[in-house]
């Protein structure tokens, strides 16, 4: 394996000395401000810097400052929520930032201070996972575990791994990606020692259901996920539970590609062509027919939108296939605020008026009777099975899509919970070719289309 | 079950007294002439009337006179063949008929005398199946078995069963039909006693693999066919071996239909519409695309042509489906002399330029290497499997058919043995709609197309 100059790479992707000092200083001040606020309100609470900044594993320009406001274990939950938010708002105000409430496992305050996104999250001051009251509390234990186990050298290895993951498209455990969480990257470096060993092992040794267990709890068999990474601070949790088979496979493949032909390119983004004309050309060359279903996303947290869109997309594909159309591919995209796109590319979008309908085997006499009552003497036998020609409900994919969206055929479609009304009320169905000549197409949409057409591109350099 | 007037029906379908007397008299004379011929040549051979005429089970207007020329068991085979043919030719000449040589298990003479087709077939005079030297010899035992076991009343029941089978399209064990042999019909009447019991049992009690064994040899388990009918004169033979699952199923269904609603109509042919315009209309309504491959059949026995055509047809369908086209239905037809038609009706006959090609699972690293060498970085991963977009060889079904027939893609097609050169040298591929407006379409072809469109029609009255 060719040696890369990792020092050079790290110089690009690690926070500079200035950024490092600035972020650390800012975080320290935040902790102090929160503690002062708490004291002034006479609240027994204690701020602690957690997350990648605390662990020294963040990527240059990507510092999200996460601070926990720890309350004693015996605090009343209502009290914690109320004063957690109060302290958060008050502290951000003091630091002249903008604050906003969010909700994860319980409410917290997020803000924007001196160019950095910050989260101030109230939690219980637990010592181990048995005392866990909410998912947030676990962050505390994770930060402590990584801080006490990850060496300074290994912090750099984590940065390499995260950047690699980001460049090949497998970083991030949110539903949008379904990839590797930052904590999972840190656990991988602890497990394999460094970046290249992690990639070598992923490329050569991982199988579906592969597991590792840093603290040797022996609980891997509890999980059936593609990758099982037993949480060192909670033996009953798989840190890789949100990792999809898709993203695990992509990481394995990208690792293999890197190992056989290492290149600094794996730590940089790829150029993307977002010229609508070129994208139109590519679609035209394929000879398929592509439709977009366009609608506004519901007003729910971003992480909740993606699974609902995916569910709707998959359901449309299933219904279309069951109606006899052949779907070449599908994908969806949203800016999480204004627009959702579901893309459906058809291999067959026009069908004859008739189809064959398979009936019961002739041996089951009572089924036959019912079948013949319905279809009369138009039926015939193929081998030992009844067959009849029936008219299709849909000879055209666009009509089917329209009826699905307007609810004329909605019984068949499994919409995401919050999407049903939304889609039915206002949506557009557009031939992609027409969409691509319309004005003001967002760059992000063109990126989405580019990636759809060049699906595996990020895996290779 | 409603009682039909079977006497009336039999009056229509049984040979009249005149026909009966004429055929019997003619057969008797033939036996005498053959015996005289043999004597005059000083050949020890003995003529015997066999088949449906001998058994009294032929349908009105359908008498085929089969006469065996029995040679002693110790006759040299070459001698048997030579003198069998000589006696045959000589006898037909004496009776002022036209003779022609044919070949089954060994050569025989066929002729046309006073309006009847006759077969004069040399064989060995065996007493039981252990002495069997060729399949022809068995006819002797069959005739003797039926003659000594079938009552006069049961002869009528056989006639009813044969006529029913004929009307619903399941009569005849030749490859063209794949249905029930006359001898099998006789065995069924012996087994169930009469016509209606046979139909009741077929309709209600038969399953796939059903067996009956008149002489209780207990050898049914030797056979894996849809229907097992142990030959009463040969325990190691299934008389129903040539019966297809298709025809067995059709008989079961037609029986059920008859039993639930008996009608004299089941003993008459159905009217068939052979108006090309109406057939064109029906095809147009379906919205499919139908091609005919038209060629001259090879000069081989009729029974050998059908399996080869079927094999070719099935192979074309398989190749077309594997290229991504969707075949709605296929069928073939021949007049056995001038023309073979293979009909292919497509549900999808135009396809996009590209298709998805599934590669190896990512876990099998060495397969992946070979796959990527071939397809390069156009590949991507879906789930845990490699996928790549490749260009189709064929975007159009007609081009595919043409390349298959001319051998440009012949490696993929399994032609019938004698068909390959035939098809490649001279064939036409025609859109059915164009074929249907061409001049001089044979009535039989239109019947074939009518039956293709109205597949199960014969099963219902």
């Amino acid at each position: 394996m060719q040696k890369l100059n990792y020092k050079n790479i790290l110089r690009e992707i690690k926070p500079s000395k200035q950024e490092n000092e600035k972020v650390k200083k800012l975080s320290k001040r935040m902790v102090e401000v929160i503690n002062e606020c708490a004291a002034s309100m006479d609240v027994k609470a204690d701020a602690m810097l957690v997350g990648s900044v605390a662990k020294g594993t963040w990527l240059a320009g990507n510092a999200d400052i996460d601070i926990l406001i720890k309350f004693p274990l015996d605090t009343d939950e209502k009290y914690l929520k109320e004063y957690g938010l109060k302290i958060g708002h008050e502290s951000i105000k003091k630091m002249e930032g903008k604050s906003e409430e969010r909700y994860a496992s319980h409410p917290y305050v997020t803000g924007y201070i001196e160019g950095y996104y910050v989260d101030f999250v109230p939690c219980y001051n637990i010592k181990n996972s048995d005392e866990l009251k909410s998912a947030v509390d676990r962050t505390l234990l994770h930060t402590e575990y990584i801080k006490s186990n990850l060496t300074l050298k290994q912090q750099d290895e984590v940065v390499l791994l995260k950047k690699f993951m980001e460049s090949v498209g497998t970083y991030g455990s949110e539903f949008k990606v379904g990839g590797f969480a930052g904590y999972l990257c840190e656990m991988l470096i602890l497990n394999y020692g460094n970046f290249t060993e992690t990639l070598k092992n992923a490329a050569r040794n991982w199988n579906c259901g592969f597991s590792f267990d840093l603290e040797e709890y022996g609980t891997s068999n509890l999980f059936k996920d593609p990758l099982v990474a037993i949480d060192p601070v909670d033996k009953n949790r798989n840190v890789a539970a949100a990792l999809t088979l898709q993203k695990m496979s992509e990481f394995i493949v990208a690792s293999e590609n890197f190992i056989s032909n290492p290149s600094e390119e794996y730590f940089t983004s790829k150029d993307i062509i977002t010229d609508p004309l070129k994208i139109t050309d590519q679609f035209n060359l394929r000879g398929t027919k592509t439709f977009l279903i366009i609608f506004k996303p519901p007003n729910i947290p971003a992480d909740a939108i993606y699974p609902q869109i995916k569910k709707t997309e998959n359901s449309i594909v299933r219904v279309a296939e069951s109606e006899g159309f052949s779907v070449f591919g599908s994908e969806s995209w949203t800016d999480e605020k204004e627009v959702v796109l579901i893309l459906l590319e058809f291999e067959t979008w026009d069908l004859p008026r008739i189809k064959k309908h398979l009936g019961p085997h002739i041996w089951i006499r009572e089924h036959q009777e019912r079948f013949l009552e319905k279809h009369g003497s138009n039926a015939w036998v193929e081998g030992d099975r009844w067959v009849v020609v029936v008219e299709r409900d849909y000879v055209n994919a666009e009509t089917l899509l329209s009826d699905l969206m307007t609810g004329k055929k909605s019984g068949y479609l499994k919409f995401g919970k919050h999407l049903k009304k939304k889609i039915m009320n206002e949506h557009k169905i557009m031939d992609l070719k027409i969409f691509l000549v319309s004005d003001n197409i967002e760059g992000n949409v063109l990126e989405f289309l580019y990636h759809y057409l060049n699906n595996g591109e990020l895996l290779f350099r």
Side-chain angles (χ1 to χ4, degrees), chain A:
Chain A
M1 188 174 150
Q2 189 197 321
K3 261 283 189 201
L4 289 182
N5 188 332
Y6 286 109
K7 269 202 180 139
N8 281 346
I9 295 167
L10 281 165
R11 200 169 300 136
E12 296 293 321
I13 68 177
K14 254 182 81 170
S16 65
K17 214 178 159 188
Q18 292 93 314
E19 184 183 352
N20 194 36
E21 275 172 12
K22 191 182 165 195
V23 169
K24 288 275 169 69
K25 210 172 134 190
L26 184 62
S27 310
K28 207 180 155 200
R29 226 188 96 217
M30 285 177 189
V31 168
E32 286 163 10
V33 169
I34 292 169
N35 285 339
E36 282 161 20
C37 266
S40 73
M41 291 181 196
D42 205 14
V43 173
K44 270 193 206 158
D46 201 16
M48 173 187 173
L49 179 68
V50 292
S52 60
V53 172
K55 296 180 278 191
T57 59
W58 85 94
L59 297 178
N62 257 337
D64 290 333
I65 301 172
D66 297 322
I67 295 179
L68 293 182
I69 309 170
K70 300 186 290 184
F71 287 76
L73 267 181
D74 57 3
T75 313
D76 175 69
E77 200 182 326
K78 221 178 134 190
Y79 179 93
L80 176 143
K81 282 183 185 170
E82 190 186 336
Y83 283 91
L85 289 176
K86 264 191 191 163
I87 295 169
H89 282 298
E90 193 59 30
S91 307
I92 290 174
K93 206 172 144 193
K94 260 198 186 161
M95 299 184 77
E96 293 165 0
K98 278 186 174 179
S99 68
E100 195 183 315
E101 276 177 35
R102 291 275 174 82
Y103 196 94
S105 50
H106 51 67
Y108 65 98
V109 175
T110 187
Y112 189 70
I113 301 172
E114 294 181 27
Y116 291 93
Y117 289 99
V118 300
D119 286 344
F120 293 171
V121 186
C123 75
Y124 286 100
N125 188 11
I126 63 173
K127 295 280 166 276
N128 61 60
S129 66
D130 297 340
E131 297 173 340
L132 210 68
K133 297 207 177 189
S134 89
V136 174
D137 306 344
R138 209 183 267 114
T139 312
L140 185 61
L141 303 180
H142 290 169
T143 303
E144 280 168 352
Y145 185 86
I146 297 300
K147 277 170 84 172
S148 39
N149 287 282
L150 199 74
T151 66
L152 210 61
K153 173 78 188 67
Q154 284 179 328
Q155 288 178 8
D156 286 354
E157 302 292 326
V158 170
V159 168
L160 287 170
L161 182 58
K162 282 186 177 179
K163 188 69 192 178
F164 177 85
M165 291 262 196
E166 194 184 81
S167 306
V168 303
T170 63
Y171 185 60
S173 61
E174 62 274 23
F175 274 123
K176 181 183 175 177
V177 181
F180 292 73
Y183 180 51
L184 182 53
C185 291
E186 290 151 358
M187 283 169 63
L188 284 169
I189 295 301
L190 286 179
N191 193 54
Y192 292 118
N194 60 41
F195 169 72
T196 51
E197 277 305 308
T198 303
L199 265 62
K200 265 188 203 164
N201 275 278
R204 308 274 154 95
N205 297 336
W206 286 12
N207 49 19
C208 189
F210 181 84
S211 66
F212 70 100
D213 183 357
L214 289 168
E215 292 296 318
E216 295 174 7
Y217 291 125
T219 50
S220 304
N221 289 335
L222 298 178
F223 304 96
K224 290 267 164 283
D225 303 300
L227 180 66
V228 178
I230 299 301
D231 193 340
V233 305
D234 184 350
K235 65 179 193 296
N236 294 315
R237 181 168 177 266
N238 174 19
V239 176
L243 176 67
T244 59
L245 178 63
Q246 177 70 33
K247 289 296 159 181
M248 179 181 177
S249 300
E250 288 184 5
F251 176 63
I252 290 173
V253 164
S255 295
E256 173 63 39
N257 292 346
F258 178 87
I259 296 293
S260 355
N261 192 17
S263 153
E264 293 186 12
E265 301 286 312
Y266 279 98
F267 300 93
T268 59
S269 308
K270 265 200 154 176
D271 283 341
I272 278 171
I273 302 156
T274 53
D275 177 352
L277 288 178
K278 285 199 176 136
I279 289 176
T280 304
D281 280 352
Q282 272 202 62
F283 272 105
N284 280 342
L285 262 178
R286 292 156 82 95
T288 52
K289 182 96 165 176
T290 304
F291 294 104
L292 291 178
I293 303 175
I294 307 168
F295 54 95
K296 212 175 138 80
N299 189 18
I300 54 173
D303 220 31
I305 296 176
Y306 287 97
Q308 295 195 22
I309 296 173
K310 205 28 121 183
K311 190 180 171 189
T312 309
E313 174 199 325
N314 290 342
S315 179
I316 294 171
V317 170
R318 264 195 306 275
V319 173
E321 296 265 3
S322 76
E323 291 292 319
F325 300 101
S326 167
V327 177
F328 185 85
S330 73
E331 196 54 85
S332 39
W333 176 86
T334 180
D335 62 3
E336 299 176 10
K337 279 185 190 120
E338 294 304 323
V339 64
V340 179
L341 300 180
I342 296 181
L343 178 153
L344 297 150
E345 185 178 16
F346 286 91
E347 188 170 82
T348 312
W349 57 92
D350 281 323
L351 287 171
R353 227 180 104 252
I354 53 161
K355 65 175 175 180
K356 261 189 201 177
H357 173 67
L358 290 182
H361 286 90
I362 63 142
W363 315 108
I364 312 164
R365 267 70 169 185
E366 55 282 16
H367 292 185
Q368 170 174 327
E369 214 167 290
R370 251 184 292 142
F371 182 77
L372 289 180
E373 255 168 43
K374 193 167 164 200
H375 298 290
S377 55
N378 286 322
W380 72 92
V381 173
E382 278 186 16
D384 58 355
R385 198 155 179 194
W386 282 102
V387 184
V388 70
V389 160
V390 293
E391 289 205 18
R392 289 186 181 282
D393 292 338
Y394 293 93
V395 296
N396 174 282
E398 196 171 2
T399 316
L400 171 65
L401 292 182
S402 167
D403 279 9
L404 283 174
M405 291 308 122
T406 53
K408 276 193 201 156
K409 205 186 162 64
S410 73
Y412 294 84
L413 202 60
K414 287 197 173 77
F415 286 100
K417 191 166 127 194
H418 294 89
L419 286 189
K420 197 158 178 173
K421 233 183 130 195
K422 212 76 188 174
I423 293 186
M424 288 198 196
N425 287 348
E426 331 158 20
H427 72 271
K428 268 187 282 187
I429 298 172
M430 273 181 107
D431 189 315
L432 180 70
K433 284 168 195 168
I434 292 163
F435 176 83
L436 278 167
V437 294
S438 58
D439 298 336
N440 308 322
I441 308 175
E442 256 195 280
N444 286 335
V445 173
L446 294 168
E447 259 181 49
F448 159 66
L449 294 173
Y450 176 83
H451 280 305
Y452 176 77
L453 289 168
N454 303 277
N455 218 326
E457 210 205 17
L458 295 183
L459 309 179
F460 300 91
R461 290 296 192 280

